[in-house]
């Protein structure tokens, strides 16, 4: 596998690669002395030609990279120079064999090779060979450079020969297919006669010829071949080689447009003609006046130099200098409106740039690199807007070179003449557009404790709201920060920065400078892409004490001038749940999500752990239901906090657990319209006694109707969502003393799926006036088989999507005797609200009495309540209510008679029945659900069937209505002969 070289640049594509390696035992210092001399021959002008051959030297090159030579020729090792030590003639044969072995490593690509032998003298050393050069020692080798130049010329001859051979190849359609190493096995068995294959061969060969032309100095020819290769390779979708052709085309274009070199390698290139022209244009405005004065003086002095004494020359220059004063040029810096202090720019930028460059050069010549760094920093800060992209790169590169030897600092530099140079703040590298303090996460923000913060609170509290001077203009300066940081917590400041440079900008150890409190700044490092646009950068730190904190500066950037307030220590809670956690909102510390069937209840265990350093003393738990559109029966979340409170105070590292019950009891009755045709599809008479007349009425319907309905399946896929927030409010430590607490929020999301529906409810009278039959049409909306059970009733099994009728015999309810929980609220409500409230209370009583539950058979732990509250209307409630009768002052009379089965009743039974006592009874006030007992006795003198007629008469004298009678059904009495014992 090849090893990439990330230091390559565009110019490397036009270079030929030569490897210089030691052979045998060669002192390292001696080898690198020779290597440095060899590498100094970096370009050779070819005789009888206007071309130049550029050489790239490497003392170590992985042989596997050489396999990519056909792909890009600059990766191919075409020259080898071996350096060895040989002191005796006996060692020479072995040395020669080693050289041949070393050549075999790169033998397939080498154009030529050389062996430099040091230390061998005698007959062997006197041989005249072109491939071997003998030197007595490493110090006595004067013609190494000349030998290397000859070697490079021989490489050029081979290169030019190969270029001509490839460019004038007459093989036609039989062009060789060039491959990268991993492609060789992929092209086995391809159709070499296809047009696609031939175009691939032609495109790759054109790209290869372009590489050779670029290396041979034929720049225009290289561009032509690259363009042709791009067209051919694109037509056959040969993307790998198309990319290489485009890379070669870009490299050739860069070399053509930037003859001065790129990637900091301009020193190894011939300077471009455009550089001097641009410099002339840039310096021309400031040079007009100064050149006009100095040119004449210098010309005059130069012509008369031989006949002027030194004193005369000095006088002439003094006279020239005096002209600067007449032109209001007091001194060198002031002459060009320049200053060594950062401020508003004025004057000729081109002249000032030239002047600052000369100051940098002078500082370097004076042996003061620190001063050079300061001048370059000043140039980059003040003149950034006037620099071209190329100049920005050059100045930045120079500054990096200087700071690698003498790192810059923020101290004041004092010059020998007493001038003091202040530090240079880099406010433009990067440019800061906005600064904002970030609030703490919701779970860490302090909150005022009601009742503890009043007029009596000490004014020395660290929580103060104060205007802050922001790093901006206009009305933004009057903005206030309405939050606080907390001692010991990680706090953040966000900067929006911009990189104006045309290259990547790396900033290291960027941090905050603060005052007012002990603040630990955590430095950050960032890398901004070229001309990145606004880029967010977050700087963090930890305040170690409480008080007023001012963020003064951002190193290495700008003064910020931001004020905030830091609060004292508070405990910190974190929570762990027994269910899967899932983040759903930024204002929540954490959240849980689960799925329940309607009527199901599940317990969630919350574990709270004090991860702070302060002791937790108080803990409160509240909840807020966010699902206001869904109708709930009962409380969604319930909990018991007493056990957790018994563990307080909670020290650092300790934890408590709180069980929270999640009940999903929703009203799905709104979907009963989907089942308006299912109420008769399947009818069950489960729960009725065998002898009940009602069973006989319903049984034929149950036998004749099919169970279930295909049309109803999968209709109930609607899922309702319940959302709530549990908020833990806690306090302790110094924060509690100051009257502050923190809050930890847990979001709870429950997706409620329908379980069972009561699609229709009706009633039928029972044998007793105090009871009735409640008929419920039940639909199983799940995909599972379930069992439905009620109190004192048989279980009903429902298959998936099945509807059956369930009959339950219930005692009627005395709703009037039920207490009202909130009389004041009920009085303030409207008539409709009062009725809805009563209906809700009555429905809850009926539902709890019925106690209907479902259990999914396939899940042993999935069970829940089946509520009828949503389908109980006013008519049903009236049928289930006891008759609201109240008797008072009632007379009861019992009269026996015979019934002859023909409609005749005989009440003349004085000789057949005798009352022991009176046959008339007085009954006082009788309330509903109460009983009144009347005690009397009858003596039957004959056997037979007797009937008792029981009549009641209102005996109240307070009303003006005439007395009326009403009768109960007659009582049948059969008198028989006494049984002898």
């Amino acid at each position: 596998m090849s090893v990439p070289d990330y230091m390559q640049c565009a110019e490397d594509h036009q270079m030929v690669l030569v490897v210089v390696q030691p052979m045998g035992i060669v002192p390292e210092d001696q080898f690198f002395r020779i290597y440095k001399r060899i590498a100094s021959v970096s370009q050779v002008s070819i005789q009888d030609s206007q071309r130049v051959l550029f050489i790239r030297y490497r003392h170590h090159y992985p042989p596997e990279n050489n396999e990519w030579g056909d792909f890009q020729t600059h990766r191919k090792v075409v020259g080898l120079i071996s350096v060895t030590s040989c002191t005796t003639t006996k060692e020479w044969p072995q040395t020669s064999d080693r050289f041949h072995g070393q050549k075999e490593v790169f033998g397939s690509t080498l154009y030529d090779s050389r062996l430099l032998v040091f230390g061998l003298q005698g007959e062997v050393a006197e041989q005249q060979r072109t491939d071997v050069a003998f030197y007595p020692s490493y110090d006595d080798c004067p013609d190494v450079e000349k030998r290397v130049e000859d070697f490079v010329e021989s490489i050029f001859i081979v290169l030019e020969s190969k270029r001509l051979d490839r460019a004038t190849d007459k093989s036609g359609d039989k062009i060789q297919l060039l491959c990268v190493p991993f492609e060789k096995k992929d092209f086995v068995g391809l159709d070499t006669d296809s047009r696609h294959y031939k175009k691939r061969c032609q495109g790759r060969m054109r790209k290869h010829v372009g590489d050779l032309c670029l290396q041979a100095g034929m720049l225009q020819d290289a561009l032509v071949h690259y363009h042709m290769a791009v067209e051919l390779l694109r037509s056959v979708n040969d993307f790998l080689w198309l990319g290489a052709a485009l890379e070669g085309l870009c490299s050739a274009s860069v070399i053509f447009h930037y003859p001065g070199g790129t990637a900091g390698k301009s020193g190894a290139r011939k300077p471009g003609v455009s550089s001097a022209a641009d410099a002339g244009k840039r310096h021309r405005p400031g040079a007009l006046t100064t050149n006009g004065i100095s040119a004449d003086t210098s010309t005059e002095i130069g012509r008369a130099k031989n006949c002027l004494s030194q004193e005369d020359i000095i006088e002439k220059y003094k006279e020239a200098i005096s002209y600067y004063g007449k032109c209001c040029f007091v001194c060198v810096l002031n002459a060009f409106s320049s200053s060594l202090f950062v401020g508003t720019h004025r004057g000729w930028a081109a002249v000032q740039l030239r002047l600052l460059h000369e100051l940098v050069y002078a500082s370097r010549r004076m042996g003061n690199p620190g001063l050079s760094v300061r001048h370059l920093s000043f140039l980059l800060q003040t003149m950034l807007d006037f620099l071209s992209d190329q100049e920005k790169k050059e100045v930045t590169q120079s500054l990096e070179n200087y700071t690698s030897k003498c790192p810059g600092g923020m101290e004041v530099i004092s010059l020998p003449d007493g001038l003091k140079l202040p530090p240079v703040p880099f406010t433009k590298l990067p440019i800061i557009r906005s600064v904002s303090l970030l609030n703490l996460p919701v779970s860490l923000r302090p909150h005022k404790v009601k009742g503890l913060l009043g007029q009596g609170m000490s004014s020395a509290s660290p929580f103060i709201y104060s205007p802050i001077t922001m790093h901006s203009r206009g009305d933004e300066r009057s903005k206030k920060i309405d939050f606080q940081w907390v001692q010991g917590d990680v706090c953040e400041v966000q900067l929006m920065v911009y990189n104006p440079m045309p290259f990547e900008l790396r900033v290291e150890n960027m941090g905050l400078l603060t005052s007012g409190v002990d603040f630990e700044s955590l430095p950050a490092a960032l890398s901004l892409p070229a001309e990145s646009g606004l880029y967010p950068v977050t700087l963090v730190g930890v305040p170690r004490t409480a008080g007023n904190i001012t963020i003064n500066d951002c190193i290495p950037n700008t003064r910020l001038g931001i004020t905030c307030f830091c609060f004292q220590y508070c405990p910190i809670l974190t929570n762990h749940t027994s269910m899967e956690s899932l983040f759903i909102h930024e204002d929540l510390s954490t959240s849980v999500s689960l799925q329940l069937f309607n009527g199901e209840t599940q317990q969630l265990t919350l574990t709270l752990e004090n991860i702070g350093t302060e002791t937790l003393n108080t803990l409160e738990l509240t909840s807020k239901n966010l699902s206001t559109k869904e109708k709930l029966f009962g409380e969604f979340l319930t909990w018991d906090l007493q056990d957790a409170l018994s563990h307080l105070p909670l020290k650092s590292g300790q934890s408590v657990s709180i069980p929270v019950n999640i009940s999903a009891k929703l009203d799905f009755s709104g979907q009963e319209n989907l089942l308006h045709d299912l109420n008769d599809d399947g009818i069950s008479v489960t729960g009725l006694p065998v002898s009940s007349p009602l069973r006989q009425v319903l049984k034929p319907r149950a036998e004749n109707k099919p169970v279930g309905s295909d049309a109803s399946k999968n209709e109930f896929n609607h899922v309702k969502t319940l959302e709530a927030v549990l908020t833990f409010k806690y306090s302790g430590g110094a924060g509690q003393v100051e009257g502050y607490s923190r809050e930890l929020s847990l979001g709870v999301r429950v997706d409620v799926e329908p379980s069972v529906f009561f699609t229709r409810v009706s009633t039928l009278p029972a044998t007793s006036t105090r009871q009735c039959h409640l008929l419920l049409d039940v639909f199983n909306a799940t995909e599972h088989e379930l069992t439905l059970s009620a109190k004192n009733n048989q279980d009903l099994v429902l298959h998936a999507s099945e509807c059956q009728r369930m009959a339950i015999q219930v005692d009627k309810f005395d709703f009037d005797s039920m207490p009202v929980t909130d009389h004041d609220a009920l009085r303030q409500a409207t008539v409709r609200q009062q009725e809805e409230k009563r209906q809700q209370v009555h429905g809850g009583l009926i539902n709890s009495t019925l106690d209907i539950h479902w259990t999914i058979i396939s899940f042993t732990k999935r069970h829940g309540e089946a509520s009828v509250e949503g389908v109980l209307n006013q008519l049903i409630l009236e049928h289930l209510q006891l008759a609201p009768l109240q008797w008072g002052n009632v007379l009861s009379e019992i009269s026996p008679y015979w019934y002859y089965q023909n409609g005749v009743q005989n009440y003349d039974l004085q000789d057949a029945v005798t009352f022991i006592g009176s046959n008339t009874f007085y009954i006082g006030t009788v309330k509903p659900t109460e009983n009144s007992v009347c005690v009397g006795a009858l003596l039957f003198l004959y056997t037979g069937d007797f009937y008792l007629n029981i009549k009641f008469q209102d005996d109240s004298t307070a009303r003006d209505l005439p007395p009326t009678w009403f009768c109960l059904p007659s009582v049948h009495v059969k008198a028989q002969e006494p049984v002898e014992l």
Side-chain angles (χ1 to χ4, degrees):
M1 182 175 181
S2 64
V3 180
D5 183 2
Y6 296 108
M7 300 304 293
Q8 289 188 7
C9 60
E11 288 77 16
D12 289 326
H13 284 257
Q14 71 176 349
M15 295 182 181
V16 294
L17 180 59
V18 175
V19 173
V20 181
Q21 289 183 338
M23 191 178 68
I25 300 176
V26 179
E28 184 177 355
D29 56 340
Q30 301 292 357
F31 169 75
F32 281 104
R33 281 179 56 194
I34 300 301
Y35 177 81
K36 186 176 181 181
R37 294 180 61 182
I38 295 173
S40 65
V41 186
S42 60
Q43 59 188 50
V44 175
S45 298
I46 306 302
Q47 295 180 0
D48 302 328
S49 173
Q50 300 296 324
R51 286 182 277 171
V52 177
L53 186 63
F54 297 95
I55 306 93
R56 179 163 59 107
Y57 296 96
R58 290 291 183 271
H59 57 78
H60 175 73
Y61 193 74
E64 54 267 25
N65 283 18
N66 206 36
E67 298 177 2
W68 291 76
D70 289 341
F71 183 66
Q72 290 177 319
T73 57
H74 72 277
R75 299 173 181 263
K76 181 189 302 184
V77 178
V78 298
L80 172 65
I81 300 178
S82 297
V83 179
T84 186
S85 295
C86 183
T87 57
T88 64
T89 305
K90 294 181 180 180
E91 297 177 2
W92 170 242
Q94 184 179 4
T95 301
S96 180
D97 292 340
R98 285 183 179 178
F99 178 51
H100 287 290
Q102 205 168 33
K103 287 193 296 183
E104 291 179 356
V105 176
F106 306 104
S108 61
T109 60
L110 285 182
Y111 292 175
D112 202 354
S113 60
R114 291 291 186 271
L115 174 62
L116 304 183
V117 183
F118 295 88
L120 183 62
Q121 297 181 1
E123 182 179 354
V124 175
E126 293 176 357
Q127 297 177 5
Q128 297 297 324
R129 299 181 56 175
T130 57
D131 61 335
V132 181
F134 297 96
Y135 298 102
S137 65
Y138 290 99
D139 296 327
D140 187 9
C141 50
D143 64 341
V144 168
E145 290 80 2
K146 182 62 173 64
R147 290 268 189 170
V148 174
E149 289 180 4
D150 295 339
F151 170 65
V152 171
E153 289 182 355
S154 68
I155 290 178
F156 175 79
I157 294 173
V158 179
L159 174 64
E160 182 67 5
S161 174
K162 289 183 176 292
R163 183 189 69 82
L164 293 173
D165 289 343
R166 295 287 191 270
T168 59
D169 191 358
K170 303 299 182 180
S171 56
D173 294 339
K174 301 299 182 180
I175 298 177
Q176 174 188 0
L177 176 64
L178 301 177
C179 300
V180 297
F182 65 84
E183 287 181 326
K184 295 179 180 179
K185 63 179 183 298
D186 298 333
F187 290 148
V188 176
L190 284 181
D191 183 9
T192 58
D193 294 329
S194 66
R195 184 178 180 184
H196 188 278
Y197 180 84
K198 294 176 181 178
K199 274 195 172 184
R200 185 194 299 267
C201 296
Q202 293 172 1
R204 293 189 178 190
M205 185 56 69
R206 283 293 180 184
K207 189 267 173 192
H208 180 67
V209 174
D211 289 347
L212 295 176
C213 291
L214 186 60
Q215 288 183 310
M218 305 291 290
L219 188 58
Q220 295 292 343
D221 290 7
L223 290 171
V224 172
H225 286 290
Y226 282 137
H227 276 292
M228 296 175 65
V230 167
E231 295 300 326
L232 289 169
L233 295 171
R234 182 180 285 119
S235 66
V236 294
N237 295 331
D238 194 354
F239 295 116
L240 176 63
W241 284 76
L242 174 60
L246 290 172
E247 182 179 349
L249 182 61
C250 293
S251 300
S253 300
V254 168
I255 294 170
F256 178 78
H257 289 288
Y258 300 96
T262 62
K265 297 189 177 184
S266 58
R269 306 287 182 268
K270 290 185 177 181
V273 178
S274 60
S275 300
D278 294 340
K281 294 178 183 178
R282 187 169 61 246
H283 301 312
R284 191 179 307 278
L288 292 177
T289 303
T290 55
N291 287 349
I293 296 173
S294 61
D296 294 339
T297 304
S298 299
T299 302
E300 181 182 352
I301 294 174
R303 291 175 179 175
K305 190 172 183 179
N306 295 331
C307 58
L308 291 177
S309 64
Q310 292 295 329
E311 291 77 9
D312 293 335
I313 294 175
I314 293 174
E315 290 297 327
K316 289 290 184 180
Y317 277 114
K318 283 183 179 180
E319 181 181 359
I321 293 174
S322 67
Y323 293 145
Y324 284 93
K326 295 177 182 179
C327 295
C328 300
F329 291 163
V330 181
C331 65
V332 174
L333 292 177
N334 291 339
F336 304 107
S337 299
S338 185
S339 171
L340 295 179
F341 299 89
V342 177
T344 303
H345 178 268
R346 59 190 181 91
W348 290 331
V351 177
Q352 292 168 352
L353 277 171
R354 179 63 181 174
L355 183 60
L356 289 172
H357 278 294
E358 292 181 356
L359 287 175
V360 173
Y361 176 75
S363 301
R364 182 174 65 84
R365 293 294 300 270
M366 291 169 56
N368 192 340
L371 190 58
S372 299
V373 171
R374 181 61 53 86
H375 288 325
L376 271 176
S377 302
F378 180 84
L379 186 155
L380 199 57
Q381 169 64 24
T382 59
M383 311 301 292
L384 184 63
D385 297 335
F386 306 100
L387 297 175
S388 66
D389 289 350
Q390 183 62 31
E391 289 172 332
K392 290 176 181 177
K393 293 181 181 179
E394 293 174 356
V395 172
T396 306
Q397 183 66 41
S398 299
L399 185 58
E400 288 183 1
N401 294 336
Y402 279 114
T403 54
S404 64
K405 302 175 182 177
C406 180
M410 298 301 291
E411 70 281 355
V412 176
I413 297 180
S414 298
L415 299 180
D417 60 355
L419 181 64
K420 297 183 181 297
L421 298 182
V424 177
F426 276 129
T427 60
K428 297 182 179 180
L429 294 175
I431 298 174
I432 298 180
R433 294 300 188 192
S434 64
V435 183
S436 59
L437 275 67
L438 300 184
N439 204 344
L440 291 173
V442 176
S443 60
L444 299 181
R445 296 175 190 172
H447 302 274
K448 294 181 180 179
V449 179
K450 295 181 180 179
L452 295 180
L453 293 178
Q455 296 180 354
M457 179 61 67
S458 172
S459 60
S461 172
F463 280 113
I464 303 174
Y465 293 90
S466 173
I468 293 178
T469 302
M470 301 297 292
H471 185 69
S472 57
R473 299 179 179 178
D475 296 336
E476 294 184 359
R477 295 184 177 178
S478 62
K479 288 184 179 180
K480 297 181 179 180
I481 298 297
D482 58 351
F483 61 86
Q484 300 82 27
W485 286 349
V486 178
Q487 175 184 357
D489 289 353
V490 176
C491 305
E492 299 177 332
V493 176
Q494 188 177 75
L495 313 176
M496 298 302 294
V497 299
Y498 167 69
N499 176 18
M501 306 301 280
F503 50 84
E504 183 182 22
L505 180 64
R506 297 185 302 274
V507 183
E508 298 179 357
N509 297 324
M510 192 173 183
L512 300 172
L513 292 181
T514 63
S515 62
V517 301
D518 184 9
F519 186 84
E520 179 185 356
S521 178
L522 305 177
L526 61 142
S527 179
L528 299 177
E531 299 177 349
S532 60
L534 289 181
Y535 190 88
V537 175
T538 301
L539 302 181
V540 299
V542 180
R544 296 303 181 187
T545 58
N548 189 335
I549 180 174
T550 300
I551 301 176
N552 301 316
D553 209 342
C554 174
I555 299 299
N557 282 289
T558 181
R559 296 189 178 275
L560 305 180
I562 301 177
T563 302
C564 186
F565 298 93
C566 182
F567 180 57
Q568 293 180 342
Y569 283 113
C570 271
I572 304 176
L573 272 184
T574 184
N575 70 72
H576 310 280
T577 66
S578 58
M579 299 180 182
E580 179 183 0
S581 294
L582 139 112
F583 188 82
I584 56 175
H585 198 278
E586 60 180 2
D587 291 337
L588 300 177
S589 305
T590 185
S591 62
V592 294
S593 179
L594 64 156
Q595 291 182 335
L596 297 179
F597 287 106
N598 191 30
E600 188 177 4
T601 299
Q602 187 165 344
Q603 188 177 85
L604 169 68
T605 302
L606 298 178
T607 301
L608 302 179
E609 181 182 0
N610 184 0
I611 60 173
T613 58
E614 297 294 310
T615 300
L616 186 146
N617 296 324
T618 65
L619 179 64
E620 300 177 11
L621 176 56
T622 58
S623 67
K624 181 180 180 181
N625 184 14
L626 304 180
S627 305
T628 57
K629 296 182 179 180
E630 307 293 349
K631 184 178 179 181
L632 273 168
F633 297 118
E635 294 294 333
F636 174 33
L637 300 174
T638 57
W639 59 84
D640 185 6
L641 199 61
Q642 296 301 318
D643 182 65
L645 295 178
S646 65
H647 290 80
L648 298 185
L650 196 66
K651 297 181 180 180
S652 176
Q654 294 182 341
S655 61
V656 294
S657 296
I658 302 175
V660 177
N661 291 322
I662 303 176
S663 299
K665 298 179 181 180
L666 290 174
D667 182 15
F668 277 85
S669 61
Q671 300 197 27
E672 63 182 353
N673 293 331
L674 296 175
L675 297 177
H676 64 280
D677 293 329
L678 296 179
N679 57 337
D680 290 333
D681 282 354
I683 303 170
S684 172
V685 293
T686 303
L688 294 179
V690 177
S691 61
S692 172
L694 179 62
R695 174 180 283 274
Q696 304 304 318
V697 173
L698 297 179
K699 185 176 181 181
R701 300 174 64 188
E703 294 175 350
N704 296 329
K705 296 293 181 179
V707 178
S709 173
D710 293 337
S712 66
K713 292 183 180 180
N714 300 323
E715 292 290 339
F716 287 86
N717 55 3
H718 178 63
V719 177
K720 295 185 178 182
T721 300
L722 294 177
E723 291 182 332
V725 176
L726 283 171
T727 301
F728 296 90
K729 188 176 182 180
Y730 61 95
S731 185
Q736 183 182 10
V737 176
E738 295 293 339
Y740 284 83
S741 65
R742 277 177 166 167
E743 294 181 356
L744 182 68
S745 299
L746 171 67
V748 180
R749 176 192 176 108
V750 180
D751 292 330
V752 184
E753 299 182 11
S755 53
V756 295
F757 289 95
F758 296 103
T759 62
R760 177 173 294 183
V761 181
S762 59
T763 60
L764 286 176
T767 56
S768 171
T769 58
R770 292 180 174 272
Q771 293 180 327
C772 71
H773 294 289
L774 185 64
L775 305 181
L776 303 172
D777 288 0
V778 190
F779 177 75
N780 179 7
T782 71
E783 298 179 354
H784 310 279
E785 182 179 347
L786 56 78
T787 301
L788 201 67
S789 61
K791 185 182 296 184
N792 301 325
N793 208 68
Q794 295 181 5
D795 291 347
L796 176 66
V797 177
L798 285 174
H799 299 285
S801 302
E802 182 181 12
C803 183
Q804 293 195 36
R805 178 164 292 174
M806 187 177 192
I808 305 175
Q809 183 171 308
V810 296
D811 295 332
K812 291 187 176 182
F813 300 88
D814 181 15
F815 296 139
D816 293 336
S817 64
M818 294 181 60
V820 181
T821 55
D822 192 349
H823 293 276
D824 295 334
L826 195 60
R827 282 194 297 269
Q828 295 176 3
T830 63
V831 177
R832 181 176 180 181
Q833 290 174 341
Q834 293 178 4
E835 185 61 33
E836 290 179 352
K837 180 62 177 179
R838 291 191 184 95
Q839 187 171 341
Q840 180 181 356
V841 174
H842 297 165
L845 175 62
I846 296 173
N847 193 65
S848 61
T849 303
L850 296 178
D851 192 22
I852 304 177
H853 285 77
W854 55 263
T855 301
I856 296 180
I857 299 175
S858 57
F859 300 117
T860 56
K861 295 184 179 180
R862 302 300 293 269
H863 55 83
E865 178 183 346
S867 176
V868 298
E869 295 182 56
V871 293
L872 294 176
N873 52 39
Q874 185 61 33
L875 181 61
I876 298 298
L877 293 177
E878 291 177 358
H879 290 176
L880 294 176
Q881 183 177 7
L882 279 173
L885 299 177
Q886 183 172 341
W887 294 355
N889 300 328
V890 176
L891 290 177
S892 176
E893 180 181 348
I894 301 176
S895 301
Y897 67 91
W898 272 326
Y899 180 59
Y900 295 120
Q901 303 297 329
N902 57 0
V904 178
Q905 298 178 356
N906 183 8
Y907 285 91
D908 187 12
L909 300 180
Q910 297 179 357
D911 297 334
V913 180
T914 300
F915 277 92
I916 301 177
S918 175
N919 68 331
T920 303
F921 304 95
Y922 175 79
I923 302 174
T925 302
V926 180
K927 297 181 179 180
T929 71
E930 292 183 357
N931 298 321
S932 179
V933 180
C934 301
V935 180
L938 288 171
L939 177 62
F940 295 94
L941 302 178
Y942 298 97
T943 61
D945 292 325
F946 298 88
Y947 292 90
L948 301 180
N949 185 12
I950 304 174
K951 296 190 297 183
F952 294 88
Q953 183 182 27
D954 186 0
D955 194 37
S956 176
T957 59
R959 294 183 292 184
D960 297 335
L961 298 175
T964 58
W965 290 90
F966 68 93
C967 303
L968 290 177
S970 299
V971 177
H972 180 205
V973 179
K974 187 176 184 65
Q976 297 178 348
E977 291 286 344
V979 180
E980 295 182 0
L981 299 177

